[in-house]
Amino acid sequence: MVNVAVKAARAAGTIINRAALDVESVRVSQKQVNDFVTEVDHASEKIIIETLLGAYPGHAIWAEESGREHGAQDSEFVWIIDPLDGTTNFIHGLPVYCVSIALAVKGKIEQAVIYDPTRNDLFTATKGRGAYLNNRRIRVAKRTRLQECLISTGFPYRQEDDINTYLRLMGDMMARTAGLRRPGAAALDLAYVAAGFTDGFFELGLQPWDVAAGSLLITEAGGLVGNFSGDANFLEQKECMAANPRIYGQMVALLGKYSKFADAGDKAAVRAAVAEMAKASPAVEAVEESTPANPASDAPF
């Protein structure tokens, strides 16, 4: 199945690269303030859906632009698609964007492809078989101290975003890390954590198609991913955080107070849950007692 997803992602990447040659002529519309969609998003999504349903007509589709309009929506196989993550970067000619495709089977992410067409970088993962960049095995970074880490994030841009809270959140992180980065494409941010290019990632307001593929890359590369309190059932909660197990625990301790979904102070219960889930995850080699997380690839969406 991952090979079909790769074919779909590359086909979409061809459309994106062709359009990038004359990006000023691309038609752009606005879904809401600072949330853009282009004809390239739609064309990319169309070729992805056609490729996937051509191979698996009985599967369901859940895509950013067309929602759940396509496929057999009662299927236990659901393709979760972001045809162009980083649209704002794309329309400005900033070459940081990607195609993201994931397959959920009975609510669990089992296949993942993230394709960066500007660099021809292909990230893939199959549950239980590891994560890869251009066919080479990747692992999360090995740093163990948050103050030595480079962390990526996203900035608030919607009218309903609580900017003041986000500023406090980022201030807490800035004071305790080697640096923050805001590339502008969450799926690619997660892929970079999986590859060890950055040490961690956190962001509010993300949708399932932004994080589904990246979540499997993270866990298959030996990392952990969940919401700010460490709960792996995060795909529809609009909170996402990822890192290697040791750094993840430190990030939960720092950002858990900003989570809307759990009492970050209940440390004993969180530790117990993490310990059990870590034992069940072949991708995680070692988890410290204080690490409050579990693999999100096992979480229903």
Side-chain angles (χ1 to χ4, degrees):
M1 289 183 179
V2 72
N3 290 333
V4 174
V6 168
K7 179 181 178 181
R10 289 194 181 278
T14 298
I15 291 172
I16 294 167
N17 279 341
R18 188 181 302 124
L21 296 174
D22 188 14
V23 72
E24 291 185 358
S25 69
V26 173
R27 290 193 298 272
V28 181
S29 58
Q30 191 165 279
K31 293 187 281 189
Q32 55 181 320
V33 175
N34 294 330
D35 190 1
F36 302 99
V37 61
T38 72
E39 59 184 325
V40 179
D41 293 75
H42 290 294
S44 175
E45 184 169 293
K46 183 174 184 290
I47 193 65
I48 292 170
I49 292 172
E50 288 177 352
T51 302
L52 295 176
L53 292 184
Y56 306 108
H59 287 191
I61 299 292
W62 187 9
E64 178 177 10
E65 308 306 336
S66 59
R68 299 177 184 267
E69 293 180 7
H70 302 282
Q73 290 303 320
D74 59 345
S75 175
E76 62 187 22
F77 295 86
V78 182
W79 292 97
I80 306 173
I81 302 164
D82 191 336
L84 177 53
D85 187 33
T87 300
T88 300
N89 285 349
F90 173 78
I91 63 179
H92 285 83
L94 181 64
V96 183
Y97 43 80
C98 65
V99 179
S100 178
I101 303 173
L103 175 65
V105 182
K106 297 181 179 179
K108 299 178 181 180
I109 308 300
E110 294 199 355
Q111 306 287 347
V113 171
I114 293 176
Y115 179 55
D116 176 352
T118 69
R119 297 168 182 78
N120 195 29
D121 279 343
L122 181 69
F123 298 85
T124 59
T126 297
K127 188 173 182 180
R129 298 185 181 180
Y132 296 83
L133 167 57
N134 300 328
N135 295 318
R136 296 184 64 180
R137 186 74 181 263
I138 55 176
R139 302 288 296 180
V140 292
K142 297 180 180 179
R143 291 180 182 85
T144 60
R145 301 174 65 205
L146 186 60
Q147 56 263 46
E148 298 173 349
C149 290
L150 184 65
I151 305 295
S152 58
T153 187
F155 298 156
Y157 60 90
R158 304 173 186 85
Q159 286 184 316
E160 66 271 20
D161 289 337
D162 185 347
I163 294 177
N164 289 330
T165 296
Y166 217 102
L167 288 174
R168 291 195 300 272
L169 184 157
M170 289 191 292
D172 283 349
M173 190 63 73
M174 285 183 204
R176 295 168 175 83
T177 62
L180 290 185
R181 298 292 182 268
R182 202 278 193 184
L188 204 53
D189 290 341
L190 289 168
Y192 280 11
V193 174
F197 301 156
T198 55
D199 299 284
F201 167 77
F202 69 95
E203 187 170 350
L204 293 169
L206 296 174
Q207 299 292 340
W209 46 79
D210 296 314
V211 298
S215 69
L216 184 63
L217 283 170
I218 293 290
T219 56
E220 288 298 317
L224 298 169
V225 59
N227 68 18
F228 287 3
S229 68
D231 184 357
N233 297 306
F234 79 102
L235 283 183
E236 294 190 77
Q237 293 184 347
K238 298 185 178 181
E239 290 183 6
C240 182
M241 182 171 62
N244 75 40
R246 291 179 175 85
I247 298 304
Y248 191 93
Q250 296 168 59
M251 290 176 68
V252 168
L254 189 62
L255 301 182
K257 62 186 176 183
Y258 295 101
S259 177
K260 298 179 180 179
F261 301 99
D263 179 5
D266 188 9
K267 297 180 180 179
V270 173
R271 287 189 188 123
V274 171
E276 290 302 314
M277 292 303 297
K279 291 176 184 177
S281 174
V284 180
E285 294 177 339
V287 180
E288 290 186 337
E289 182 183 355
S290 61
T291 305
N294 51 344
S297 57
D298 284 334
F301 60 89

